[in-house]
Amino acid sequence: MLGIKYFVTSRIVLLLLRRNKITAVCLCATALFVFGLSCPQTLLTEFSLRFSNNNTYRIFPSSHGGSRANYSFPNVDWFIEQYQNRSDLRGTFFEVDNVQSYHNFLTKINTIKKKGKKLSSSNSLNGTQPFEIFMKNVNQNYLYHPDDLIIWKVLRDLRTRPITKVEMNPGSSHLVLRMSLDNGGMAIFKVQRTPKDQEVHPDLFFIREMERPNAEVAAFYLDRLLGFYRAPPIVSRSLNITRDIVPFGDKRTIVDTVHRSPAGNVCFFGTCLDYCSLHTPVCGKPDLIEGAVSMYLTGASIETIQTPWGRYIPPFWKTRWEKDDTFCDTDVKTNSNYSMRTLLNYMDVSVMDFLTGNLDRHHTEVFKEFKQETFFIHFDNGRGFGKSKYDCWSCMAPVRQCCLIRLSTLAKLLKLYIGPDSLSQVLRESLKADPSFPVLWEPHLDALDRRLGKLLSAISDCINVKGKAWQDVVIDDGLN
């Protein structure tokens, strides 16, 4: 008899658990009292955690069940039902379920990726070096196609090619080197100054943070996973100051700053706007330094555009968008300089910045010859992944205020949320391709799952709380 009572009670608990966890826990308590039965400990733990954190509950980290297996949001689950029940999405490339793997889903979407016009400035590149082939394939919709194997040859060259010239990168606020390689290509090198598990001090404003090259590497792979293909190739690399930098370095700005520390290590500090002095040197062990080297987009004419969501320096002065949530409607959408494609580009950048925690998005870059009909190059992500417990709500301001998102971007985010693959898991696996794996400290990977849920929650609120029409929020512009 006890076995029958346990079976019936447990079936009811599992049924109610799918819809209402409060009822499930209460039923467990009743079973305990009436029948002398025990309740699943995981359910009781989940209940106690859920209602101690603003309706968001934390359970044991999982690589299956999508990001919501780690962080679940009830309004996002409801939003997914709305998405899946839309007749205009059923049977399309953007239909999502929790069965198909994320990589298969992304591959399917990439089959409809549109090619655009190629860069005319690359026509003069007639060589056969990987960087030349890469630049000749750049077009107005993406830097490279995901199936093009040239990306891996470029990454190999960035990591292994001998260096022939080193100079300070002009205009950089930190110590950033611009290097020439022996095959004629150019690269940018940023030095890893802080350990990967060292978080930004909570009292520091973002402008005083040290850039983290490992964040640049992680952002490159995140850009790939989200199907953007807009971040230049970047890979981790170790350099020997004595062998790779001093013989080829600019004498005044680099070589003359080389010295030995009291510990006997070879150091230099270069010249730049910040963190380039005897007080902030880069020191080897004894002369070996680690960092990340990214491809320089040789020959391309790039235009810099100030973002409407820029921040004041000093940061404690607030701009209009930080004080007025109607800013997008009154100042951005009404501005004829911003086409719909440009607005959606800002949404994609906002997605990247919120997931990585990058507050330092003061401008964006485009290929000049394409004007507004192109993508934003996802440069300058070195101030991301600095605070694993802090979610930068202001980084999501473009999405929250404009209530806009590309259909293709939304579909990929939803797919990672419902699984079976979580965002943290697919990025962790992708980062194994970099020689400095693990690239990210584990709490930063965990934070991605939490931020993904919050991002989707904001999009859901645009429709279900603010009352925006679906077609005014989710835009299918034919690009992905």
Side-chain angles (χ1 to χ4, degrees):
M1 179 62 71
L2 184 61
I4 296 174
K5 290 177 181 177
Y6 185 87
F7 175 80
V8 172
T9 304
S10 62
R11 292 300 93 190
I12 296 174
V13 167
L14 291 174
L15 178 63
L16 290 174
L17 178 58
R18 296 176 182 174
R19 295 290 180 183
N20 192 323
K21 293 181 175 59
I22 302 176
T23 306
V25 173
C26 292
L27 186 55
C28 279
T30 303
L32 180 65
F33 176 77
V34 176
F35 301 122
L37 302 178
S38 61
C39 213
Q41 183 60 42
T42 54
L43 178 58
L44 293 174
T45 302
E46 178 183 333
F47 172 81
S48 63
L49 290 174
R50 174 180 177 179
F51 293 96
S52 63
N53 190 21
N54 296 328
N55 291 330
T56 302
Y57 60 87
R58 181 74 174 88
I59 60 177
F60 301 109
S62 172
S63 60
H64 302 286
S67 293
R68 69 174 168 188
N70 297 329
Y71 294 92
S72 183
F73 294 76
N75 65 326
V76 175
D77 294 334
W78 182 35
F79 180 67
I80 289 171
E81 288 186 21
Q82 290 177 283
Y83 183 96
Q84 292 175 322
N85 288 332
R86 289 191 63 85
S87 59
D88 57 332
L89 296 177
R90 285 199 212 107
T92 71
F93 286 95
F94 305 112
E95 185 176 18
V96 298
D97 59 36
N98 60 354
V99 177
Q100 185 181 33
S101 73
Y102 179 73
H103 286 296
N104 287 342
F105 176 77
L106 182 59
T107 300
K108 180 181 67 173
I109 287 184
N110 284 338
T111 62
I112 59 173
K113 183 173 284 294
K114 293 181 179 179
K115 289 185 178 180
K117 297 178 183 177
K118 291 189 176 181
L119 276 176
S120 60
S121 58
S122 298
N123 293 337
S124 59
L125 297 173
N126 298 316
T128 58
Q129 292 297 328
F131 80 91
E132 294 174 302
I133 298 172
F134 180 96
M135 289 304 301
K136 283 191 285 189
N137 288 337
V138 172
N139 67 70
Q140 70 184 96
N141 291 337
Y142 47 82
L143 276 177
Y144 61 96
H145 193 277
D147 295 334
D148 193 345
L149 297 180
I150 198 66
I151 185 72
W152 304 112
K153 295 180 180 179
V154 170
L155 291 172
R156 178 200 62 198
D157 282 358
L158 290 173
R159 175 160 173 75
T160 61
R161 282 283 182 181
I163 297 163
T164 59
K165 184 179 180 181
V166 183
E167 55 190 341
M168 296 298 299
N169 190 51
S172 292
S173 59
H174 288 226
L175 195 157
V176 179
L177 303 179
R178 186 166 65 182
M179 309 185 306
S180 298
L181 306 179
D182 71 338
N183 67 343
M186 296 181 66
I188 300 296
F189 182 79
K190 294 186 178 182
V191 184
Q192 187 78 36
R193 289 173 174 263
T194 57
K196 296 174 185 177
D197 61 353
Q198 180 176 315
E199 301 237 306
V200 174
H201 193 282
D203 285 333
L204 282 182
F205 288 114
F206 72 93
I207 57 169
R208 303 311 304 170
E209 295 176 21
M210 289 292 216
E211 289 198 22
R212 290 168 290 278
N214 67 303
E216 296 272 16
V217 173
F220 165 69
Y221 282 96
L222 179 62
D223 172 88
R224 281 181 58 85
L225 283 175
L226 294 178
F228 293 147
Y229 313 109
R230 302 169 195 165
I234 185 167
V235 65
S236 299
R237 180 170 180 170
S238 296
L239 295 181
N240 185 300
I241 298 174
T242 305
R243 186 183 67 237
D244 298 322
I245 296 178
V246 171
F248 312 106
D250 180 79
K251 184 178 185 304
R252 182 181 64 84
T253 61
I254 298 177
V255 177
D256 285 351
T257 71
V258 175
H259 59 282
R260 283 196 178 271
S261 71
N265 295 319
V266 179
C267 309
F268 72 105
F269 52 83
T271 57
C272 62
L273 299 178
D274 279 318
Y275 299 114
C276 285
S277 73
L278 189 59
H279 304 291
T280 56
V282 170
C283 294
K285 295 182 179 180
D287 52 4
L288 197 66
I289 57 175
E290 296 182 353
V293 57
S294 60
M295 178 181 174
Y296 190 87
L297 301 180
T298 308
S301 180
I302 295 173
E303 181 179 3
T304 298
I305 304 171
Q306 291 296 121
T307 172
W309 289 274
R311 303 170 195 274
Y312 276 137
I313 304 298
F316 47 80
W317 292 352
K318 299 299 182 183
T319 63
R320 267 203 61 200
W321 68 265
E322 291 175 287
K323 297 183 289 186
D324 183 4
D325 260 355
T326 67
F327 173 79
C328 183
D329 291 329
T330 58
D331 289 51
V332 181
K333 288 183 178 179
T334 57
N335 191 326
S336 59
N337 291 325
Y338 302 125
S339 66
M340 178 55 73
R341 179 165 186 168
T342 299
L343 289 175
L344 292 174
N345 285 343
Y346 277 120
M347 302 308 114
D348 287 344
V349 168
S350 176
V351 167
M352 285 283 293
D353 287 343
F354 180 69
L355 290 175
T356 63
N358 177 27
L359 288 87
D360 194 29
R361 186 67 61 193
H362 41 80
H363 63 273
T364 55
E365 292 93 355
V366 298
F367 290 112
K368 193 171 183 178
E369 69 178 84
F370 296 136
K371 299 181 180 178
Q372 289 199 50
E373 294 306 309
T374 189
F375 58 94
F376 290 162
I377 306 170
H378 289 175
F379 277 136
D380 203 11
N381 304 290
R383 284 196 170 107
F385 296 111
K387 299 179 180 180
S388 62
K389 294 181 175 63
Y390 170 72
D391 299 333
C392 178
W393 195 242
S394 63
C395 292
M396 209 203 302
V399 172
R400 289 189 298 104
Q401 294 180 349
C402 295
C403 278
L404 282 175
I405 194 76
R406 268 194 176 99
L407 172 61
S408 56
T409 301
L410 176 62
K412 287 173 260 188
L413 296 175
L414 289 174
K415 180 61 182 160
L416 288 165
Y417 180 78
I418 68 175
D421 308 305
S422 67
L423 176 55
S424 60
Q425 177 64 12
V426 293
L427 183 57
R428 185 185 296 107
E429 290 297 316
S430 295
L431 291 175
K432 289 180 179 179
D434 189 81
S436 72
F437 180 84
V439 175
L440 286 179
W441 190 37
E442 194 63 28
H444 290 302
L445 288 166
D446 179 75
L448 285 170
D449 292 330
R450 181 182 69 246
R451 292 169 186 163
L452 175 59
K454 290 186 176 182
L455 176 58
L456 291 172
S457 180
I459 298 169
S460 171
D461 285 349
C462 285
I463 295 172
N464 296 316
V465 176
K466 297 180 181 180
K468 303 278 187 179
W470 181 281
Q471 62 272 18
D472 293 333
V473 175
V474 183
I475 309 297
D476 183 7
D477 63 346
L479 297 170
N480 58 20

